[in-house]
Amino acid sequence: TKKGVKIIGVPEMFRDYDLEGKVLIEVGDKEINNIYDAKNLFNSMKGRNRAFSITMINEKGEREKLIKQ
């Protein structure tokens, strides 16, 4: 895939979600094209206790979706 960013570290509030090593391609309905997109979206979610979804590609090339409610 040409879009997305590989996750090598995550903010503390996301560490329990097993995201490291995967390629982040969408947060909610927003496509991730570069590290700045990812940082901006994660920063906008800090301190908010609301539902979100993260779409990523795992190490096997499979698409995964994490939904937090």
Side-chain angles (χ1 to χ4, degrees), residues 9 12 31 60 66:
E12 186 174 330
E31 189 174 278
K60 296 178 184 177
L66 167 71

Side-chain angles (χ1 to χ4, degrees), residues 2-51:
K2 293 191 179 216
K3 64 179 179 175
V5 293
K6 186 169 185 176
I7 302 169
I8 58 171
V10 294
E12 186 174 330
M13 70 179 280
F14 297 100
R15 290 198 180 130
D16 292 338
Y17 297 110
D18 190 33
L19 301 175
E20 290 189 40
K22 297 178 181 172
V23 177
L24 179 66
I25 56 174
E26 292 176 359
V27 174
D29 61 348
K30 305 284 187 201
E31 189 174 278
I32 303 298
N33 293 301
N34 56 52
I35 189 64
Y36 303 107
D37 290 345
K39 282 184 177 184
N40 288 336
L41 283 167
F42 276 114
N43 284 335
S44 73
M45 293 165 49
K46 279 184 184 176
R48 297 186 182 172
N49 194 14
R50 65 177 192 190

